[in-house]
Amino acid sequence: MKPLKSFREYVEVLKEYNEVVSIHQEIDWNLEMSAIIRRAYETHAPAPLFKNVKDSTPGFEVLGAPVGLSPNEEHPYIRVALSLGLPINTTAPELVEAWSHLPEVTPIPPRLVENGECKENKLFNDEIDLTKLPIPFIHVGDGGRYINTYGILVVRTPDGSWVNWSITRVMLDGPQSLAGVIIPSQDLGKIHRQWKEIGEEMPFALCLGVDPGIAMIAGYPLSGDVSERELIGGWYGEAIDVVKCETNDLEVPATSEIVIEGTVSLTEMVPEGPFGEYAGYTWIGHEKPTPRFDVKAMTHRNNPIIPVSATGVPPEESSTNWGIGIAADIQNTLRKQGLPIKQCFIPLESAVHWLVVTVDRSQQKVDNEQLSHDIGAAVFATRAGSYVPKVIVLDDDIDPSNINQVVWAFATRHHPDQREVMAEQKVLPLVGYLDEKEKREALTTKAIYNCLLPLNNGSSDEQSIEASFRSYPEEMRQNIIENWEKYGF
Ligand SMILES: Cc1cc2nc3c(=O)[nH]c(=O)nc-3n(C[C@H](O)[C@H](O)[C@H](O)COP(=O)(O)O)c2cc1C
C-alpha cells in the first residue's frame, strides 16, 4: 500500500495516469463548471482541473469529479484504488473486500505538528470573502453555491472525547457565513445535539482538499464513536499530521488545501437547499432552515485546489466513495455474523438504493427464504444498512459489480412471491421516493428480493445452465478470444 498523503499529491498522481484534463479557459462558476463536471462523470472522462474560474481569486483552482470513473475501461476504479493506496488494477469487489477490513485496523493517533501547508496563508474575520472562492452553483434549481461537496467537516464533542470527520454538504450563505446541513441521525447531528444541550456554539473546521484516503474514510459509515483520524493512521500504517486551528482547539489535516474555521450559531437559522442529491433529483422548493455556520478564520495553501463533487445521477462520489464504504462495512458485519455470504456491492447505477449480496451456496444451512430473510434483516439492522432501502440476494455465479449480470439475474430469478417487505425501518431521509411523512420520521418500508436459484439447482429435470459465452468449454473460449481479430472482428 502506498497512501497519497495530500490532495495535491493525489492530483499529481492522477495526472500521471491521464486522469486529469487541465482547463485553462475561463469557466463560469455559475452552472458551466458543474455542467463540465457532470459530462465528465457521465462519459467516464478524466477529472476536469479548472485553472481559471470567473470572478474568483487568481490562483485558486477546482478539481471536479475527484473520484469519478476512469476512461480506462480495463480499470474504471483507478481513482478509488489510488484514494485507498491500492494498486490501480484493483477490481470493484476487491476494493470492497480490502475496505471491509478498515474497522479492524489498529488505530494510530495523529501526530500534532507545529506547522503545515494549510497555514501558508491566514485570513481572519472581515479579511475573508468566501464569495471570491471558485465555488460552483452546481445544478439547475439549487438553492445556492455549494462550498463543500467533497471536503471534511471536523467537529468534536464538548468533553473532547470524540472527534468526528464527515463529508456533508455545505452551502455558501454570505462572505463569512455558511449554511450547513445537519442530519440528526448522522454523527454530526449527534455531536451538534450535545452542544445545543449545554447551550454553547459548536466549533467547526471545514477542510477542503484533504488526502484522498481521508475523504474516503469521512464517507465511511463507521459504527459507534470511532475516530476516523486514528483509523486512517491505522489504514496507512503511519500517523497522519494534524495542526491546530487558529481560533479553536480543533485539529485538522496539515496538508489541507483550505481550512475554514468557525462556530455554529445557536440562534441564527438560514435557508439551505434545494440541492441536486445522490438519488439523482433536485427537489424544487425543498429549501429548509438550517443553523448558520459563522466563519472566523480561513487558512490555505498557496494556489489551493478545491475538490467538487457534482452529486446527482450516478456515477459520482456518492457511489464510488460512500457506496463502496457502505458495502464494505455491511460485508464485514455479515461475515462476522457467520452468514454464508460471498460479496456485497452497491451497483453504481442504483444511486445507493440497491445492495446486492451474493451467497456462497456451499455454506448454506437454511432454506432460501430463511437465508434471504436473515441476510436482509442483518443488513437493515446495521448503521450502513440503514441507508439502503432494497437488498437483492443472488447466487455467487453473479458478479455484483457487473450491472448486466445483476439485472439479468434479478429479472429472471426473482419470483414476485419471494419478495419480503419489512415496515418501519430506519432510513436516511434522502432516499429518492420517500413521502414527506417518511422523510420527517426517517422510517420507511424496505424490501428483500430473494433471487436464489432452487437449492441443488432444482430436481434433475429442471436443471439449468447459463446460456452464454462464458458457459462454453474454457479451452474453446480461449481459442476464440485469441483468434477474434483473425476472424475479421
Ligand atoms: C460525496 C458525498 C456527499 C455526501 N453528502 C452528505 C450530506 O450532505 N449529508 C450527510 O449527512 N451525509 C453525506 N454523505 C454521507 C456521509 O459522509 C457518510 O454517511 C458518513 O458516514 C457520515 O459521517 P459519520 O459516519 O461520521 O456520521 C456524503 C458522502 C459523500 C461521499
PDB file of all heavy atoms in Angstrom, residues 311-338:
ATOM      1  N   THR A 311     -22.931  15.976  -7.226  1.00  0.00           N
ATOM      2  CA  THR A 311     -23.776  14.802  -6.977  1.00  0.00           C
ATOM      3  C   THR A 311     -24.990  14.826  -7.902  1.00  0.00           C
ATOM      4  O   THR A 311     -25.389  15.866  -8.408  1.00  0.00           O
ATOM      5  CB  THR A 311     -24.260  14.752  -5.521  1.00  0.00           C
ATOM      6  OG1 THR A 311     -24.746  16.048  -5.186  1.00  0.00           O
ATOM      7  CG2 THR A 311     -23.181  14.354  -4.577  1.00  0.00           C
ATOM      8  N   GLY A 312     -25.600  13.679  -8.064  1.00  0.00           N
ATOM      9  CA  GLY A 312     -26.764  13.563  -8.938  1.00  0.00           C
ATOM     10  C   GLY A 312     -26.834  12.152  -9.478  1.00  0.00           C
ATOM     11  O   GLY A 312     -26.422  11.195  -8.793  1.00  0.00           O
ATOM     12  N   VAL A 313     -27.321  12.032 -10.695  1.00  0.00           N
ATOM     13  CA  VAL A 313     -27.428  10.703 -11.309  1.00  0.00           C
ATOM     14  C   VAL A 313     -26.032  10.061 -11.322  1.00  0.00           C
ATOM     15  O   VAL A 313     -25.051  10.731 -11.650  1.00  0.00           O
ATOM     16  CB  VAL A 313     -27.997  10.851 -12.748  1.00  0.00           C
ATOM     17  CG1 VAL A 313     -27.936   9.536 -13.496  1.00  0.00           C
ATOM     18  CG2 VAL A 313     -29.440  11.367 -12.697  1.00  0.00           C
ATOM     19  N   PRO A 314     -25.927   8.786 -10.920  1.00  0.00           N
ATOM     20  CA  PRO A 314     -24.601   8.156 -10.855  1.00  0.00           C
ATOM     21  C   PRO A 314     -23.978   7.998 -12.243  1.00  0.00           C
ATOM     22  O   PRO A 314     -24.707   8.047 -13.241  1.00  0.00           O
ATOM     23  CB  PRO A 314     -24.891   6.788 -10.238  1.00  0.00           C
ATOM     24  CG  PRO A 314     -26.368   6.628 -10.169  1.00  0.00           C
ATOM     25  CD  PRO A 314     -27.023   7.915 -10.559  1.00  0.00           C
ATOM     26  N   PRO A 315     -22.651   7.783 -12.306  1.00  0.00           N
ATOM     27  CA  PRO A 315     -21.750   7.581 -11.176  1.00  0.00           C
ATOM     28  C   PRO A 315     -21.122   8.899 -10.708  1.00  0.00           C
ATOM     29  O   PRO A 315     -20.714   9.710 -11.515  1.00  0.00           O
ATOM     30  CB  PRO A 315     -20.656   6.705 -11.800  1.00  0.00           C
ATOM     31  CG  PRO A 315     -20.591   7.139 -13.229  1.00  0.00           C
ATOM     32  CD  PRO A 315     -21.981   7.579 -13.606  1.00  0.00           C
ATOM     33  N   GLU A 316     -21.113   9.096  -9.426  1.00  0.00           N
ATOM     34  CA  GLU A 316     -20.336  10.187  -8.822  1.00  0.00           C
ATOM     35  C   GLU A 316     -19.855   9.682  -7.459  1.00  0.00           C
ATOM     36  O   GLU A 316     -20.033   8.507  -7.157  1.00  0.00           O
ATOM     37  CB  GLU A 316     -21.134  11.504  -8.792  1.00  0.00           C
ATOM     38  CG  GLU A 316     -22.635  11.391  -8.513  1.00  0.00           C
ATOM     39  CD  GLU A 316     -22.938  11.292  -7.040  1.00  0.00           C
ATOM     40  OE1 GLU A 316     -22.004  11.261  -6.222  1.00  0.00           O
ATOM     41  OE2 GLU A 316     -24.128  11.211  -6.697  1.00  0.00           O
ATOM     42  N   GLU A 317     -19.310  10.560  -6.642  1.00  0.00           N
ATOM     43  CA  GLU A 317     -18.639  10.096  -5.420  1.00  0.00           C
ATOM     44  C   GLU A 317     -19.584   9.464  -4.402  1.00  0.00           C
ATOM     45  O   GLU A 317     -19.157   8.711  -3.532  1.00  0.00           O
ATOM     46  CB  GLU A 317     -17.846  11.236  -4.773  1.00  0.00           C
ATOM     47  CG  GLU A 317     -16.582  11.637  -5.529  1.00  0.00           C
ATOM     48  CD  GLU A 317     -16.839  12.374  -6.826  1.00  0.00           C
ATOM     49  OE1 GLU A 317     -17.972  12.876  -7.014  1.00  0.00           O
ATOM     50  OE2 GLU A 317     -15.933  12.459  -7.667  1.00  0.00           O
ATOM     51  N   SER A 318     -20.903   9.757  -4.516  1.00  0.00           N
ATOM     52  CA  SER A 318     -21.819   9.112  -3.575  1.00  0.00           C
ATOM     53  C   SER A 318     -21.768   7.599  -3.757  1.00  0.00           C
ATOM     54  O   SER A 318     -21.938   6.847  -2.798  1.00  0.00           O
ATOM     55  CB  SER A 318     -23.258   9.601  -3.783  1.00  0.00           C
ATOM     56  OG  SER A 318     -23.298  10.993  -3.650  1.00  0.00           O
ATOM     57  N   SER A 319     -21.545   7.128  -5.006  1.00  0.00           N
ATOM     58  CA  SER A 319     -21.435   5.678  -5.186  1.00  0.00           C
ATOM     59  C   SER A 319     -20.000   5.193  -5.065  1.00  0.00           C
ATOM     60  O   SER A 319     -19.761   4.141  -4.483  1.00  0.00           O
ATOM     61  CB  SER A 319     -22.015   5.223  -6.524  1.00  0.00           C
ATOM     62  OG  SER A 319     -22.411   6.258  -7.331  1.00  0.00           O
ATOM     63  N   THR A 320     -19.024   5.980  -5.579  1.00  0.00           N
ATOM     64  CA  THR A 320     -17.654   5.457  -5.571  1.00  0.00           C
ATOM     65  C   THR A 320     -16.994   5.589  -4.200  1.00  0.00           C
ATOM     66  O   THR A 320     -16.101   4.817  -3.870  1.00  0.00           O
ATOM     67  CB  THR A 320     -16.780   6.185  -6.610  1.00  0.00           C
ATOM     68  OG1 THR A 320     -16.804   7.585  -6.337  1.00  0.00           O
ATOM     69  CG2 THR A 320     -17.271   5.944  -8.019  1.00  0.00           C
ATOM     70  N   ASN A 321     -17.427   6.541  -3.398  1.00  0.00           N
ATOM     71  CA  ASN A 321     -16.876   6.691  -2.046  1.00  0.00           C
ATOM     72  C   ASN A 321     -17.853   6.079  -1.037  1.00  0.00           C
ATOM     73  O   ASN A 321     -17.568   5.063  -0.403  1.00  0.00           O
ATOM     74  CB  ASN A 321     -16.642   8.180  -1.765  1.00  0.00           C
ATOM     75  CG  ASN A 321     -16.289   8.501  -0.325  1.00  0.00           C
ATOM     76  OD1 ASN A 321     -16.842   7.933   0.610  1.00  0.00           O
ATOM     77  ND2 ASN A 321     -15.380   9.430  -0.119  1.00  0.00           N
ATOM     78  N   TRP A 322     -19.010   6.700  -0.900  1.00  0.00           N
ATOM     79  CA  TRP A 322     -19.988   6.307   0.131  1.00  0.00           C
ATOM     80  C   TRP A 322     -20.497   4.877  -0.100  1.00  0.00           C
ATOM     81  O   TRP A 322     -20.501   4.051   0.817  1.00  0.00           O
ATOM     82  CB  TRP A 322     -21.133   7.315   0.090  1.00  0.00           C
ATOM     83  CG  TRP A 322     -22.096   7.304   1.223  1.00  0.00           C
ATOM     84  CD1 TRP A 322     -21.813   7.192   2.555  1.00  0.00           C
ATOM     85  CD2 TRP A 322     -23.508   7.445   1.121  1.00  0.00           C
ATOM     86  NE1 TRP A 322     -22.964   7.273   3.290  1.00  0.00           N
ATOM     87  CE2 TRP A 322     -24.023   7.434   2.427  1.00  0.00           C
ATOM     88  CE3 TRP A 322     -24.405   7.604   0.062  1.00  0.00           C
ATOM     89  CZ2 TRP A 322     -25.391   7.556   2.702  1.00  0.00           C
ATOM     90  CZ3 TRP A 322     -25.756   7.739   0.329  1.00  0.00           C
ATOM     91  CH2 TRP A 322     -26.242   7.715   1.639  1.00  0.00           C
ATOM     92  N   GLY A 323     -20.916   4.582  -1.355  1.00  0.00           N
ATOM     93  CA  GLY A 323     -21.488   3.271  -1.661  1.00  0.00           C
ATOM     94  C   GLY A 323     -20.492   2.148  -1.414  1.00  0.00           C
ATOM     95  O   GLY A 323     -20.850   1.077  -0.897  1.00  0.00           O
ATOM     96  N   ILE A 324     -19.237   2.385  -1.755  1.00  0.00           N
ATOM     97  CA  ILE A 324     -18.223   1.341  -1.535  1.00  0.00           C
ATOM     98  C   ILE A 324     -17.989   1.177  -0.030  1.00  0.00           C
ATOM     99  O   ILE A 324     -17.855   0.060   0.478  1.00  0.00           O
ATOM    100  CB  ILE A 324     -16.939   1.664  -2.332  1.00  0.00           C
ATOM    101  CG1 ILE A 324     -17.219   1.387  -3.815  1.00  0.00           C
ATOM    102  CG2 ILE A 324     -15.728   0.856  -1.831  1.00  0.00           C
ATOM    103  CD1 ILE A 324     -16.067   1.562  -4.763  1.00  0.00           C
ATOM    104  N   GLY A 325     -18.002   2.285   0.706  1.00  0.00           N
ATOM    105  CA  GLY A 325     -17.859   2.202   2.167  1.00  0.00           C
ATOM    106  C   GLY A 325     -19.033   1.472   2.811  1.00  0.00           C
ATOM    107  O   GLY A 325     -18.846   0.640   3.709  1.00  0.00           O
ATOM    108  N   ILE A 326     -20.239   1.748   2.346  1.00  0.00           N
ATOM    109  CA  ILE A 326     -21.431   1.083   2.907  1.00  0.00           C
ATOM    110  C   ILE A 326     -21.347  -0.430   2.651  1.00  0.00           C
ATOM    111  O   ILE A 326     -21.533  -1.243   3.558  1.00  0.00           O
ATOM    112  CB  ILE A 326     -22.724   1.669   2.278  1.00  0.00           C
ATOM    113  CG1 ILE A 326     -22.925   3.123   2.706  1.00  0.00           C
ATOM    114  CG2 ILE A 326     -23.942   0.834   2.670  1.00  0.00           C
ATOM    115  CD1 ILE A 326     -24.058   3.842   1.972  1.00  0.00           C
ATOM    116  N   ALA A 327     -21.056  -0.801   1.393  1.00  0.00           N
ATOM    117  CA  ALA A 327     -20.972  -2.227   1.052  1.00  0.00           C
ATOM    118  C   ALA A 327     -19.878  -2.909   1.873  1.00  0.00           C
ATOM    119  O   ALA A 327     -20.043  -4.029   2.362  1.00  0.00           O
ATOM    120  CB  ALA A 327     -20.699  -2.390  -0.438  1.00  0.00           C
ATOM    121  N   ALA A 328     -18.750  -2.202   2.040  1.00  0.00           N
ATOM    122  CA  ALA A 328     -17.616  -2.781   2.775  1.00  0.00           C
ATOM    123  C   ALA A 328     -18.001  -3.030   4.236  1.00  0.00           C
ATOM    124  O   ALA A 328     -17.737  -4.107   4.788  1.00  0.00           O
ATOM    125  CB  ALA A 328     -16.421  -1.829   2.703  1.00  0.00           C
ATOM    126  N   ASP A 329     -18.640  -2.054   4.839  1.00  0.00           N
ATOM    127  CA  ASP A 329     -18.999  -2.205   6.248  1.00  0.00           C
ATOM    128  C   ASP A 329     -20.019  -3.331   6.431  1.00  0.00           C
ATOM    129  O   ASP A 329     -19.927  -4.134   7.358  1.00  0.00           O
ATOM    130  CB  ASP A 329     -19.562  -0.882   6.791  1.00  0.00           C
ATOM    131  CG  ASP A 329     -19.678  -0.924   8.297  1.00  0.00           C
ATOM    132  OD1 ASP A 329     -18.623  -0.948   8.953  1.00  0.00           O
ATOM    133  OD2 ASP A 329     -20.812  -0.995   8.814  1.00  0.00           O
ATOM    134  N   ILE A 330     -20.992  -3.405   5.516  1.00  0.00           N
ATOM    135  CA  ILE A 330     -22.017  -4.460   5.629  1.00  0.00           C
ATOM    136  C   ILE A 330     -21.370  -5.834   5.404  1.00  0.00           C
ATOM    137  O   ILE A 330     -21.667  -6.797   6.125  1.00  0.00           O
ATOM    138  CB  ILE A 330     -23.167  -4.203   4.634  1.00  0.00           C
ATOM    139  CG1 ILE A 330     -23.928  -2.927   5.032  1.00  0.00           C
ATOM    140  CG2 ILE A 330     -24.111  -5.397   4.582  1.00  0.00           C
ATOM    141  CD1 ILE A 330     -24.985  -2.478   4.046  1.00  0.00           C
ATOM    142  N   GLN A 331     -20.476  -5.924   4.435  1.00  0.00           N
ATOM    143  CA  GLN A 331     -19.800  -7.207   4.178  1.00  0.00           C
ATOM    144  C   GLN A 331     -19.079  -7.685   5.439  1.00  0.00           C
ATOM    145  O   GLN A 331     -19.164  -8.848   5.826  1.00  0.00           O
ATOM    146  CB  GLN A 331     -18.816  -7.042   3.022  1.00  0.00           C
ATOM    147  CG  GLN A 331     -18.115  -8.327   2.633  1.00  0.00           C
ATOM    148  CD  GLN A 331     -17.440  -8.203   1.270  1.00  0.00           C
ATOM    149  OE1 GLN A 331     -18.101  -8.007   0.259  1.00  0.00           O
ATOM    150  NE2 GLN A 331     -16.135  -8.337   1.248  1.00  0.00           N
ATOM    151  N   ASN A 332     -18.396  -6.761   6.085  1.00  0.00           N
ATOM    152  CA  ASN A 332     -17.678  -7.087   7.316  1.00  0.00           C
ATOM    153  C   ASN A 332     -18.660  -7.609   8.378  1.00  0.00           C
ATOM    154  O   ASN A 332     -18.443  -8.659   8.996  1.00  0.00           O
ATOM    155  CB  ASN A 332     -16.961  -5.816   7.809  1.00  0.00           C
ATOM    156  CG  ASN A 332     -16.186  -6.033   9.087  1.00  0.00           C
ATOM    157  OD1 ASN A 332     -16.700  -6.634  10.027  1.00  0.00           O
ATOM    158  ND2 ASN A 332     -14.962  -5.545   9.136  1.00  0.00           N
ATOM    159  N   THR A 333     -19.774  -6.907   8.558  1.00  0.00           N
ATOM    160  CA  THR A 333     -20.734  -7.295   9.607  1.00  0.00           C
ATOM    161  C   THR A 333     -21.373  -8.650   9.302  1.00  0.00           C
ATOM    162  O   THR A 333     -21.480  -9.506  10.191  1.00  0.00           O
ATOM    163  CB  THR A 333     -21.851  -6.224   9.714  1.00  0.00           C
ATOM    164  OG1 THR A 333     -21.230  -4.963   9.884  1.00  0.00           O
ATOM    165  CG2 THR A 333     -22.782  -6.500  10.871  1.00  0.00           C
ATOM    166  N   LEU A 334     -21.792  -8.858   8.053  1.00  0.00           N
ATOM    167  CA  LEU A 334     -22.470 -10.124   7.725  1.00  0.00           C
ATOM    168  C   LEU A 334     -21.521 -11.307   7.907  1.00  0.00           C
ATOM    169  O   LEU A 334     -21.909 -12.366   8.396  1.00  0.00           O
ATOM    170  CB  LEU A 334     -23.011 -10.105   6.292  1.00  0.00           C
ATOM    171  CG  LEU A 334     -24.060  -9.050   5.936  1.00  0.00           C
ATOM    172  CD1 LEU A 334     -24.665  -9.321   4.563  1.00  0.00           C
ATOM    173  CD2 LEU A 334     -25.169  -8.953   6.963  1.00  0.00           C
ATOM    174  N   ARG A 335     -20.253 -11.097   7.510  1.00  0.00           N
ATOM    175  CA  ARG A 335     -19.272 -12.179   7.691  1.00  0.00           C
ATOM    176  C   ARG A 335     -19.095 -12.489   9.169  1.00  0.00           C
ATOM    177  O   ARG A 335     -19.055 -13.648   9.558  1.00  0.00           O
ATOM    178  CB  ARG A 335     -17.919 -11.762   7.106  1.00  0.00           C
ATOM    179  CG  ARG A 335     -17.922 -11.694   5.598  1.00  0.00           C
ATOM    180  CD  ARG A 335     -16.778 -12.537   5.034  1.00  0.00           C
ATOM    181  NE  ARG A 335     -16.816 -12.501   3.579  1.00  0.00           N
ATOM    182  CZ  ARG A 335     -16.018 -11.744   2.835  1.00  0.00           C
ATOM    183  NH1 ARG A 335     -15.102 -10.985   3.418  1.00  0.00           N
ATOM    184  NH2 ARG A 335     -16.113 -11.774   1.531  1.00  0.00           N
ATOM    185  N   LYS A 336     -18.986 -11.424   9.988  1.00  0.00           N
ATOM    186  CA  LYS A 336     -18.783 -11.647  11.435  1.00  0.00           C
ATOM    187  C   LYS A 336     -19.966 -12.400  12.041  1.00  0.00           C
ATOM    188  O   LYS A 336     -19.814 -13.142  12.999  1.00  0.00           O
ATOM    189  CB  LYS A 336     -18.623 -10.299  12.143  1.00  0.00           C
ATOM    190  CG  LYS A 336     -17.212  -9.755  12.053  1.00  0.00           C
ATOM    191  CD  LYS A 336     -17.031  -8.610  13.014  1.00  0.00           C
ATOM    192  CE  LYS A 336     -15.688  -7.949  12.804  1.00  0.00           C
ATOM    193  NZ  LYS A 336     -15.772  -6.494  12.817  1.00  0.00           N
ATOM    194  N   GLN A 337     -21.142 -12.196  11.473  1.00  0.00           N
ATOM    195  CA  GLN A 337     -22.325 -12.897  11.988  1.00  0.00           C
ATOM    196  C   GLN A 337     -22.409 -14.325  11.476  1.00  0.00           C
ATOM    197  O   GLN A 337     -23.365 -15.036  11.774  1.00  0.00           O
ATOM    198  CB  GLN A 337     -23.582 -12.125  11.614  1.00  0.00           C
ATOM    199  CG  GLN A 337     -23.676 -10.802  12.361  1.00  0.00           C
ATOM    200  CD  GLN A 337     -24.948 -10.028  12.049  1.00  0.00           C
ATOM    201  OE1 GLN A 337     -25.858 -10.543  11.406  1.00  0.00           O
ATOM    202  NE2 GLN A 337     -25.011  -8.804  12.513  1.00  0.00           N
ATOM    203  N   GLY A 338     -21.455 -14.733  10.667  1.00  0.00           N
ATOM    204  CA  GLY A 338     -21.403 -16.122  10.193  1.00  0.00           C
ATOM    205  C   GLY A 338     -22.358 -16.409   9.053  1.00  0.00           C
ATOM    206  O   GLY A 338     -22.604 -17.577   8.731  1.00  0.00           O
TER     207      GLY A 338
END
